[in-house]
Every structure is written in C-alpha cells, then in structure tokens.
Amino acid sequence: MIKMLSAITGQIDDPDAAVAEILEQLDLTGNLLKHSVGLAACNYEFIEVGTLEALGKALPFEIAGVTTLGNAAKGLYGQDYLSLSVLTSDDVRFSSAVTGDITEENLKQELDGAFDRAKKALGSSPSFILTYVPIVSGLGAMSFFKEIKRLSGDTPVFGSFACDQTLKFQESKVIHNGAAYRHSLAFVLMEGDVHPRFLVTSIPERNIQKQHAVITESDGVFLKKVNDMPLLDYLSSLGLTKDGKVEVNATIPFMIDYNDGSKPVAMAIYGMTKEGYARCAGDVPVDATLAIGVLDYESVMETAETTVSRFLAYQDIQGILMYPCLTRSMLLGLNSSDEMKKITGLLGNLAPYQICYAGGEICPTENAEGKLVNHIHNFTFIACVL
C-alpha cells in the first residue's frame, strides 16, 4: 500500500523559508515509510532562486516533476507555488532516472537508457510508471509518447508535459532531484502492491458535435482528409476557417474515437502545414472518427466538478494526483485559478492531493474489454487515485 503526503509553499523569494515550510508540513520523522519518492510541481522561479536545489539536498529520497502554469495542495492554489507529493510505502518500491539532453536524433537512445537505469535500480519490471516530459523544439508530443508507449508495454503510464507562465514556455523544465532540465525526460517506476485508478474527463457531451466524421487520409499525426474532403474544406463547412485559414486552431478540441472501445480522446491542432494538413498532438489513423468539441469556462468548471464527484465514490483513497491541461486554465481568462479553487473546495480533507497543470497529459483509458490502454490527451482533466 502507498501512503501519500503533501506539502506546498508560496515562499518564492526565500529558499530557506520554503524548504523549512515543506519539511514542517511533511513531518518526515513520523510519516516516512521504508521506500519513498517525491513528485514536485512549481513555478520556474523556485528553480532560479535555488529552492529546488536546496529541497533536493534536504530530502532523503529522489524527486521528479515539472514546472507548471499553476499547482495546488492542502487548500492552497495559484501560479506562485511549489507543491510536493511524497509517495511512501513499506511494500511498494520506487526508482527514478532522467535522460540527458534529448534531440530528434537521440530520442530513442536517451529514453531507453533512462528507463533501463530506473528498471535496474528497481530490480524488476514496474507495475506502474510516472513520466515527466519536456518541450523540445522539433519534437512533437507524439514522438515522446510513442517511445514511452513502446517502453511501457502494457504497464499503465500517468504523466505530464512541462509548461510555465511564459508565452512560449521557454522556462519549462523537467525536475529530477535538486536539478531542472530544459530538454530531459524523467521516469518514476513503481513495483509492488500499487493499484492506481484513473479518471479522464475532457468535454461535456453537449459540447461535442453530434455528427461524427471519418478520417479518410492521414499520416501519423498529420490529418489530411475528412469524409474524403481536404481538411480545410471540412473545417470551412463548419465555419471554422477565415480567409482559408483555421481560426484559433490551438483551442479547437478534436475528439478522436479510435473505435477500440475506449473513450474518445481530446486532441489539439499544433499547427497547419502549407498543404493544409493539421499537425495533431497524437496519431489520427484512417477510419477513426472525429467530432469537433467546444471547451469554455462553464464546461471547464463542470468537468472538474464531475471528476471530483467520482472520487467521492471510491474507498480507501490514500492520495490523488490531478494533471489538468493548461488550456483549461487559459480558457478561464482573468479567473485562471477558478478550476483549482473549485477542486480544492470540493475535496476538503478527503485525502492528500496535488494539482499540476500540464502541457499535455498522459493517462490510460479502458477499452471495450476493460483493458487499460495508454493515451496522450489535450484539453483534458486526468487524475490518478492511489
């Protein structure tokens, strides 16, 4: 069994005070079990002032995580915090590893190396995997996910892409122990009596186009034709283009149904090619079906509440990790913390928890046979209940 501890600090300009606050909340002497690992989420300024480095030196276990647009724990939430979740257990073992700088050429080699190091330290194959993924120019999210999926096999994976408060995410970093890395990925492997439960909520049904279309031409993440129409013509028929270009493409959720019995996956358009093809966050295979969704303030708040209400039916909750998509926070406008405020209010003292906004979400969903299948998501609220 895993026990989860949580701590949070807003001491963004005082590393000593921040570390002292985290340690006081965790009370490690009375709470730490035989095996432990820390999961961190923070504003990038905690790295710049040295808090992360100091925290890494103060803790007797490994840490992994990401910078984030906003995070929450213990009733506190916002953009200027550092939160830490500690997973500790007598019978579940943990190991972690970080890659070197990743490029398009060495992606497979670096991920293989880090995964093998973590697996060797664990001493066996993992039963659950956490991963924290960087933003690397020239490498799409799907490039990372394909390698993660290859390495994990049938083992469930839960994780987040890094993000931050800057316009182009130039300060986004992956955390490992007391250091932060711009172009590295971190793994946390677990083995033992761990039985995570996963929740995935994206867009309310009423906000999804009723008439689904069929993908008739694609190449990996590139969506070319829908219903035998060039993609731009199809989007134009829905009023989603202007002067032959896609309007606000980063905020148009494509609901992709892979027709494997799992729930449709919300996916973003990352860009358009000169040929008019959409570069999507994940694979868009031929014969999958597509529907256009709409996500707004009301639906963000509604889906957050829907997800939390499902927690309340669970028994024996030791901790909850929640990684909602950063787009959800952006769509809240000036009230960008309202989703976190809603969640923390609903959870109360139910169990230790951590909220961390993600630049892309990795979480399994069940297929028709009830088997967990790892997927990459956008616009989505994912949760792992331990």
Side-chain angles (χ1 to χ4, degrees):
M1 184 185 75
I2 291 178
K3 177 182 177 182
M4 180 167 151
L5 315 173
S6 63
I8 187 167
T9 180
Q11 300 281 357
I12 200 166
D13 297 319
D14 190 335
D16 291 337
V19 171
E21 191 169 3
I22 292 291
L23 293 177
E24 181 181 4
Q25 292 176 38
L26 293 176
D27 186 16
L28 297 179
T29 302
N31 288 314
L32 212 59
L33 302 178
K34 187 176 180 181
H35 310 289
S36 302
V37 69
L39 310 176
C42 69
N43 183 302
Y44 67 89
E45 292 186 22
F46 283 96
I47 296 168
E48 292 183 348
V49 301
T51 302
L52 180 66
E53 181 180 3
L55 189 62
K57 292 177 179 177
L59 295 173
F61 44 76
E62 296 183 322
I63 307 170
V66 284
T67 57
T68 181
L69 181 67
N71 64 112
K74 298 177 76 70
L76 298 177
Y77 53 86
Q79 294 192 354
D80 298 328
Y81 286 95
L82 181 153
S83 60
L84 182 72
S85 292
V86 178
L87 306 183
T88 187
S89 177
D90 284 329
D91 49 27
V92 176
R93 293 178 294 114
F94 309 96
S95 68
S96 72
V98 66
T99 69
D101 280 355
I102 292 171
T103 65
E104 188 174 357
E105 291 74 25
N106 71 6
L107 173 64
K108 180 179 183 299
Q109 178 183 347
E110 285 293 336
L111 265 65
D112 282 353
F115 192 83
D116 287 346
R117 290 194 299 275
K119 186 175 176 180
K120 183 178 180 180
L122 195 66
S124 62
S125 296
S127 54
F128 181 36
I129 300 169
L130 296 173
T131 188
Y132 299 99
V133 190
I135 297 174
V136 177
S137 178
L139 277 173
M142 196 62 189
S143 299
F144 283 100
F145 179 68
K146 283 183 176 179
E147 297 302 328
I148 292 167
K149 191 171 184 179
R150 174 183 61 83
L151 288 167
S152 61
D154 293 331
T155 305
V157 181
F158 187 82
S160 168
F161 283 72
C163 63
D164 62 68
Q165 293 81 11
T166 64
L167 289 176
K168 295 183 179 180
F169 305 128
Q170 63 264 29
E171 298 294 341
S172 65
K173 293 180 174 66
V174 167
I175 293 165
H176 189 251
N177 297 332
Y181 303 87
R182 185 78 176 91
H183 299 128
S184 298
L185 177 147
F187 286 114
V188 175
L189 308 187
M190 305 183 202
E191 190 280 325
D193 186 23
V194 52
H195 304 286
R197 294 159 285 186
F198 303 103
L199 296 174
V200 177
T201 311
S202 53
I203 298 169
E205 287 293 329
R206 69 174 185 279
N207 284 17
I208 300 174
Q209 176 190 13
K210 302 305 179 186
Q211 186 174 359
H212 292 194
V214 178
I215 297 173
T216 49
E217 187 177 345
S218 65
D219 181 9
V221 299
F222 292 97
L223 177 56
K224 299 181 177 181
K225 287 187 178 180
V226 176
N227 290 348
D228 291 319
M229 300 169 59
L231 176 64
L232 284 177
D233 291 348
Y234 174 72
L235 295 177
S236 178
S237 72
L238 300 176
L240 295 175
T241 61
K242 182 178 181 180
D243 299 327
K245 297 181 179 180
V246 180
E247 289 272 81
V248 292
N249 56 37
T251 59
I252 299 175
F254 279 6
M255 301 301 297
I256 306 295
D257 190 337
Y258 293 100
N259 296 315
D260 61 358
S262 60
K263 291 183 178 180
V265 172
M267 198 171 293
I269 304 174
Y270 282 172
M272 301 294 296
T273 70
K274 61 182 180 181
E275 298 87 0
Y277 306 151
R279 181 169 62 87
C280 300
D283 280 341
V284 282
V286 169
D287 293 331
T289 54
L290 176 152
I292 305 297
V294 175
L295 194 63
D296 53 19
Y297 181 97
E298 288 74 19
S299 53
V300 168
M301 300 301 286
E302 177 186 333
T303 50
E305 183 170 358
T306 298
T307 305
V308 175
S309 68
R310 293 167 65 186
F311 298 159
L312 304 181
Y314 287 167
Q315 301 295 318
D316 190 29
I317 299 177
Q318 299 299 316
I320 308 167
L321 298 173
M322 293 166 277
Y323 297 162
C325 180
L326 66 89
T327 306
R328 298 170 63 91
S329 177
M330 292 176 174
L331 289 170
L332 299 178
L334 297 176
N335 302 305
S336 60
S337 293
D338 276 10
E339 183 175 35
M340 292 187 287
K341 179 180 179 181
K342 181 78 169 182
I343 296 166
T344 56
L346 290 169
L347 285 175
N349 296 317
L350 176 67
Y353 62 85
Q354 183 182 43
I355 303 170
C356 168
Y357 275 104
E361 309 85 64
I362 297 174
C363 185
T365 61
E366 286 189 357
N367 63 14
E369 290 76 40
K371 179 182 176 181
L372 289 174
V373 179
N374 291 317
H375 280 296
I376 188 170
H377 309 263
N378 298 120
F379 305 100
T380 299
F381 189 117
I382 63 170
C384 172
V385 182
L386 298 167

